[in-house]
Amino acid sequence: MGDEGPGGGIVFYVSKEGFKVYDGKGGSVRCHYLEMSKNTLGESKWFPEYSNIGTQTGLGYGKSNTYKILNASTSKRLTEENCAAYRCSKYSTSSTKAGEWWLPSKDELDLMYKNQKERVLASCGNKWYEKCHWYSSESNLKYAWIKDFRGAGDWGFDSKVNVKHSVRAVRAF
């Protein structure tokens, strides 16, 4: 934990038993590690319009959630500014390509807070909203979950279409 992963990120979760990562297309793979991008990827809105996409909160569902978000019906084109999941899906490193990273689920981002809070905060700017990160898990039609990395790591929700928060990509191996 805390080492650089094979994707060039920072390992923030290790499971000896392993966990399933769901791809959103009916498949899954067993993994033992989660790594996060070293830095925030910037700020984005969650989605360009109100929509009930049907995301999950559990460990292993971030990839599936991202797939569902990217394939949800919208009248607007997805961009890095209006869709946090799109921003994550475009992220790549020297050892990974776009599409290997995703917006973390609620449980995945909570593990990031629990195990790498200080490292995340050190890579954020000084404004309060830069320290709040989107989950790929939605709350309802109009709101999605956010995690505040300051203090006790409170979570809440914010407007999917009107507010920008920080985005950090994760991947499993």
Side-chain angles (χ1 to χ4, degrees):
M1 186 126 39
D3 291 342
E4 185 171 307
I10 304 300
V11 175
F12 70 92
Y13 179 68
V14 178
S15 170
K16 201 182 286 188
E17 319 69 57
F19 56 96
K20 283 187 176 183
V21 174
Y22 302 93
D23 65 9
K25 303 176 222 175
S28 67
V29 63
R30 184 160 286 290
C31 296
H32 296 273
Y33 304 90
L34 283 171
E35 67 180 311
M36 64 182 186
S37 57
K38 287 184 179 178
N39 295 301
T40 180
L41 305 184
E43 291 85 39
S44 299
K45 294 177 183 177
W46 196 85
F47 198 68
E49 57 193 41
Y50 295 122
S51 180
N52 191 359
I53 294 170
T55 61
Q56 304 290 316
T57 58
L59 173 63
Y61 282 97
K63 185 173 186 175
S64 173
N65 290 347
T66 297
Y67 177 81
K68 288 178 181 180
I69 294 165
L70 295 177
N71 290 286
S73 178
T74 178
S75 63
K76 299 179 181 174
R77 187 175 70 82
L78 297 181
T79 66
E80 291 187 11
E81 288 73 36
N82 72 13
C83 184
Y86 183 82
R87 184 179 289 270
C88 288
S89 75
K90 295 298 179 189
Y91 180 68
S92 65
T93 66
S94 61
S95 59
T96 64
K97 60 184 188 278
E100 293 184 32
W101 297 81
W102 62 81
L103 186 62
S105 70
K106 192 169 184 295
D107 288 359
E108 292 163 355
L109 194 63
D110 287 347
L111 287 167
M112 188 187 301
Y113 172 83
K114 178 182 173 188
N115 297 319
Q116 292 294 321
K117 171 187 171 185
E118 296 307 319
R119 188 171 258 163
V120 169
L121 285 173
S123 68
C124 292
N126 291 323
K127 296 180 176 73
W128 73 269
Y129 61 84
E130 294 174 319
K131 296 178 181 4
C132 292
H133 289 67
W134 283 119
Y135 295 105
S136 64
S137 308
E138 61 192 337
S139 176
N140 59 35
L141 175 73
K142 293 185 177 185
Y143 299 100
W145 295 103
I146 58 169
K147 179 78 168 176
D148 187 343
F149 273 74
R150 301 169 299 164
D154 293 335
W155 48 265
F157 51 86
D158 217 334
S159 170
K160 292 177 177 179
V161 302
N162 295 321
V163 182
K164 289 184 176 181
H165 287 294
S166 289
V167 177
R168 188 172 297 262
V170 301
R171 68 184 289 276
F173 61 97

